[in-house]
Amino acid sequence: MDSTAKSSKLGTRMMPYLAILQHDLRSLWASRLVRLWLAATAILTFVLAISNWALFQDAPLIAWLLFPYLVFPWFFVVVVLGVSPVSGSRAEALADGILSRPVGRCEYLLAAWSARVVLVWAVYLVVIVPAITVVTLAKRSVPDDTVTVYGIVSSLALVGLVLTFLVSLGFLMGTLLRKPLLAVVVLIFVWYPISLILSVFSLEEFSPISLCQALPTQLRQPWQEVEEKSETNTDKEDISTFTNQFSHFLSVLSGTKPEPKATNPDFFESDEFKDFSLFRVTLGYGLPTVAAVILAVLCFHRRDL
Amino acid sequence: MELAIRTEHLTKIYSERLIAVNDMNLEVPRGSVFGLLGPNGAGKTTTLRLLLGLQRPTAGRAEVFGKSCGPNAVAVRSQIGYLPTNPNLPGNLRPIEYLDLLGKLSRLPHQTRKPRISALLRAVGLLGATDQRIQTFSTGMCTRLGIAASLVADPPLLLWDEPTAGLDPSARRFTLDLIRELGKTKTVVVATHILTDIDQICDHLGVMHEGRMIFAGTMQDMKRRLRRDDFTLELDGDADGIRHLAGDIANIEGIDAHLGTGQTLLVRIADDHSRSGALAEVLKIIDDGNLSLHAIYSSRNATENAYLQLLQEDEAHGFDR
């Protein structure tokens, strides 16, 4: 009885969040942009798979199928989807329709952000999962590959995380700059030279192109090996590397010379990307995603509508 | 007196450039139909948006039913039903879907929401349009739906911004009747620049000019502010006769008469003279002469005169403001 009352109370409390989420998903699905994107994703995935069917093994072919999401052109669509909810003419309709009701701004923003993340993941998975299933199960005239289920799931999650980061970045820019077109232009100018910017801070590991190059290694990663690695305190090494990268980033920002340290070979030194760390990359994209959402909420909270 | 709205030194300055609301002190009694009157750009809409927490005040504070207004004042907004000017509605939805969404935003349970939506759609005359998408609606239909939307949560305070803007006469009549009806149980604030609307429905009034509240009080207070009592007499007779009559009336102490357009005569009664007594004397002179009286109008409109007088006074005060 008590648990029923609690769940009903939670349901009432969550009602506006769920209503906005549902409404936004519905509006997004009704938009031409999303429908065109879905169709274009399906076509491009099909074309990439067919044209490389007999050329690549499973892992490089799957990485190639994921390339449009990480580098070009789908990042652009994802950013545009992220920019829209609180900018331009939508802000007025939003004020009249939703924010003049008993809804908190944070509640609205989180619901709008969740709707975009859910939509982006849905479009991404609905095309890529069947494509990967076909690629891995089909008998092709290429040598067998050692792609693992863990590798596929972790790679898909990783690309999904990058897409979530892009939605959040668009979301933040849309909130900060108000004008959707300006926000998109700024993001294009930031995202395209991102590899260059990251290399300045010795953070190449996080660049989308590097991720694409490292995906075949990750796709072949067995679950067992990861377990063994974690037993040998790899997490501590990851944290230490992440801390070093972060301190280097700060020292470059502040203009001071970083202390020389004995390090492993650079990320690009070997083409095998054995030093690719899922943990570090997850942190590298996860933390900015959280930061972008928090900043967007803070910024929106102070804004006049 | 219990207050529905109270503001203290409420000020809103946009980008350090435009003063939209200037040091406004306002008290709206609970249960009143309050007309917020002012020319375009006076700051009426900004005031409503400050009360809703859609904008943050630059200085001062606003309270609704004793609770502070602000962007996260969900409890305040749950007490308010807002109707914006020409509401911007989601065109892809149908009326029931839209009202259902708003009901959910107000955390109304399903068993309360659905019957209320049906009742509201019936009340605003949109039952026949429930299968149409909102984008196909006319301005009048959108306003009706906006009215229903503001009533979904059955709030005790309604803030309606230009509710009769763009409506045809029958829709306007419907809206004014509805406000009068709602005013029996709720506090209603109607922001408008249409004086006749205010005259018909409001019992309290606030006049805004250039962001300032230059008058707040009852409608009677407002009408009492008129310095002069004016009448317009519509007469039948030759022009010389009317001119002669004007001279005769002007000879009476405390009464002034001027020829108006056509066959009309504007009679102005001084403040310290009885209106009825002066009018009786004027009517006697007309009766004694060879003119016939077609109609008597009590000036143009008492509220309109008082309103224009307030604006003129405010302009004339200059630096004293």
Side-chain angles (χ1 to χ4, degrees):
Chain A
M1 186 72 184
D2 191 39
S3 68
T4 317
K6 263 186 188 172
S7 67
S8 132
K9 206 174 171 184
L10 183 71
T12 310
R13 206 179 159 153
M14 294 288 286
M15 203 187 274
Y17 171 86
L18 293 172
I20 299 167
L21 178 71
Q22 195 184 2
H23 169 64
D24 265 19
L25 274 173
R26 202 179 150 166
S27 306
L28 285 167
W29 176 241
S31 76
R32 280 195 196 134
L33 175 71
V34 171
R35 291 185 181 197
L36 279 174
W37 181 37
L38 182 61
T41 308
I43 292 168
L44 186 65
T45 306
F46 179 74
V47 169
L48 285 176
I50 290 297
S51 57
N52 298 292
W53 190 254
L55 297 177
F56 293 142
Q57 281 183 291
D58 289 358
L61 182 54
I62 293 170
W64 189 228
L65 295 181
L66 290 169
F67 179 85
Y69 296 94
L70 286 172
V71 184
F72 184 81
W74 305 141
F75 105 91
F76 180 76
V77 180
V78 173
V79 160
V80 170
L81 283 172
V83 160
S84 59
V86 288
S87 56
S89 59
R90 219 188 119 93
E92 194 190 325
L94 173 69
D96 289 357
I98 294 180
L99 290 176
S100 60
R101 317 283 160 187
V103 178
R105 289 194 179 190
C106 177
E107 205 171 12
Y108 168 74
L109 265 197
L110 288 181
W113 176 80
S114 314
R116 274 142 191 87
V117 171
V118 168
L119 183 98
V120 166
W121 273 77
V123 172
Y124 155 62
L125 290 179
V126 89
V127 173
I128 208 74
V129 169
I132 290 177
T133 311
V134 171
V135 166
T136 48
L137 296 181
K139 289 199 170 171
R140 298 186 294 129
S141 57
V142 287
D144 281 346
D145 206 342
T146 54
V147 169
T148 64
V149 174
Y150 165 75
I152 292 173
V153 172
S154 61
S155 300
L156 286 179
L158 192 63
V159 176
L161 179 63
V162 176
L163 294 177
T164 308
F165 167 72
L166 286 172
V167 171
S168 313
L169 205 60
F171 208 69
L172 175 64
M173 283 297 170
T175 315
L176 277 175
L177 300 175
R178 293 184 177 218
K179 291 179 182 163
L181 190 63
L182 179 65
V184 170
V185 169
V186 167
L187 281 168
I188 288 172
F189 277 98
V190 170
W191 191 247
Y192 269 113
I194 194 75
S195 298
L196 189 71
I197 296 168
L198 289 172
S199 80
V200 170
F201 297 110
S202 298
L203 297 170
E204 300 95 328
E205 188 175 8
F206 302 116
S207 90
I209 293 172
S210 307
L211 281 183
C212 255
Q213 288 172 323
L215 278 178
T217 310
Q218 183 60 31
L219 283 161
R220 293 179 185 121
Q221 193 82 3
W223 173 248
Q224 204 62 31
E225 195 178 308
V226 174
E227 274 188 348
E228 279 168 19
K229 274 175 87 179
S230 66
E231 279 167 19
T232 56
N233 281 341
T234 311
D235 278 358
K236 281 184 185 170
E237 282 173 29
D238 280 343
I239 291 168
S240 145
T241 312
F242 190 76
T243 314
N244 288 340
Q245 284 173 331
F246 188 69
S247 62
H248 182 79
F249 172 77
L250 288 180
S251 64
V252 172
L253 270 186
S254 61
T256 55
K257 222 177 174 182
E259 285 176 30
K261 275 182 184 158
T263 54
N264 291 329
D266 276 352
F267 189 70
F268 282 112
E269 268 179 29
S270 74
D271 280 343
E272 291 182 353
F273 300 99
K274 290 281 184 201
D275 51 350
F276 176 81
S277 159
L278 190 63
F279 177 75
R280 280 202 305 272
V281 175
T282 305
L283 270 185
Y285 277 99
L287 290 181
T289 301
V290 174
V293 175
I294 291 173
L295 274 176
V297 169
L298 287 176
C299 178
F300 192 57
H301 177 71
R302 296 205 57 80
R303 193 168 127 180
D304 282 343
L305 291 168
Chain B
M1 179 175 60
E2 207 177 341
L3 295 176
I5 298 172
R6 182 180 143 96
T7 69
E8 280 176 13
H9 305 291
L10 191 66
T11 304
K12 179 66 188 175
I13 304 174
Y14 290 115
S15 313
E16 305 285 335
R17 280 182 223 148
L18 177 72
I19 302 172
V21 177
N22 188 355
D23 195 26
M24 189 172 84
N25 294 306
L26 173 68
E27 291 186 345
V28 176
R30 189 189 269 256
S32 62
V33 179
F34 189 94
L36 193 57
L37 189 63
N40 290 330
K44 305 182 293 291
T45 301
T46 305
T47 305
L48 299 188
R49 293 172 89 85
L50 286 167
L51 291 171
L52 283 161
L54 295 175
Q55 300 190 339
R56 302 164 73 91
T58 310
R61 62 199 301 267
E63 284 179 1
V64 169
F65 296 119
K67 291 173 190 153
S68 264
C69 302
N72 273 339
V74 173
V76 168
R77 284 197 290 276
S78 68
Q79 308 276 298
I80 300 175
Y82 175 55
L83 171 68
T85 318
N86 299 325
N88 195 339
L89 307 170
N92 60 327
L93 298 186
R94 292 180 175 87
I96 295 176
E97 294 165 336
Y98 178 56
L99 295 179
D100 194 50
L101 168 69
L102 299 184
K104 285 177 184 170
L105 296 182
S106 301
R107 297 173 172 83
L108 291 180
H110 186 267
Q111 57 271 33
T112 313
R113 214 164 58 227
K114 295 293 177 182
R116 193 173 290 167
I117 289 171
S118 315
L120 282 170
L121 285 173
R122 181 189 292 271
V124 296
L126 286 177
L127 265 187
T130 48
D131 58 342
Q132 288 179 37
R133 290 195 189 276
I134 296 171
Q135 63 206 8
T136 64
F137 278 21
S138 65
T139 310
M141 288 165 89
C142 283
T143 304
R144 283 166 186 245
L145 185 59
I147 287 171
S150 74
L151 294 167
V152 162
D154 195 21
L157 171 64
L158 299 174
L159 301 181
W160 286 9
D161 195 0
E162 310 272 8
T164 56
L167 297 186
D168 62 41
S170 68
R172 187 171 159 267
R173 171 56 42 208
F174 162 82
T175 308
L176 295 178
D177 288 343
L178 185 65
I179 294 172
R180 213 174 283 126
E181 191 61 32
L182 289 167
K184 292 175 185 167
T185 52
K186 296 174 189 295
T187 309
V188 187
V189 175
V190 181
T192 183
H193 57 258
I194 304 171
L195 285 152
T196 46
D197 289 358
I198 295 278
D199 226 5
Q200 288 179 54
I201 54 172
C202 297
D203 47 41
H204 285 72
L205 179 72
V207 180
M208 290 191 77
H209 186 225
E210 294 177 349
R212 293 178 63 250
M213 185 63 72
I214 56 174
F215 172 84
T218 63
M219 284 297 283
Q220 284 83 356
D221 289 342
M222 176 73 169
K223 287 175 181 172
R224 255 183 245 131
R225 285 185 59 87
L226 274 172
R227 272 200 312 267
R228 297 182 302 261
D229 289 318
D230 297 355
F231 292 99
T232 303
L233 307 178
E234 199 177 309
L235 301 156
D236 190 16
D238 58 71
D240 281 344
I242 295 172
R243 202 174 298 119
H244 186 71
L245 176 69
D248 289 348
I249 292 172
N251 288 334
I252 305 171
E253 195 191 339
I255 306 180
D256 193 14
H258 295 280
L259 289 172
T261 52
Q263 293 188 312
T264 60
L265 196 65
L266 180 68
V267 178
R268 199 165 278 169
I269 303 162
D271 284 350
D272 50 350
H273 279 69
S274 150
R275 278 183 107 199
S276 50
L279 191 59
E281 283 189 63
V282 171
L283 291 175
K284 191 170 180 308
I285 293 172
I286 295 171
D287 198 41
D288 291 346
N290 55 0
L291 296 168
S292 59
L293 179 67
H294 271 189
I296 304 176
Y297 307 108
S298 175
S299 179
R300 280 172 291 178
N301 175 307
T303 317
E304 187 178 336
N305 270 351
Y307 168 67
L308 293 174
Q309 191 177 306
L310 272 167
L311 295 190
Q312 279 167 7
E313 281 172 14
D314 193 54
E315 295 276 5
H317 283 152
F319 189 71
D320 290 345
R321 288 187 288 172

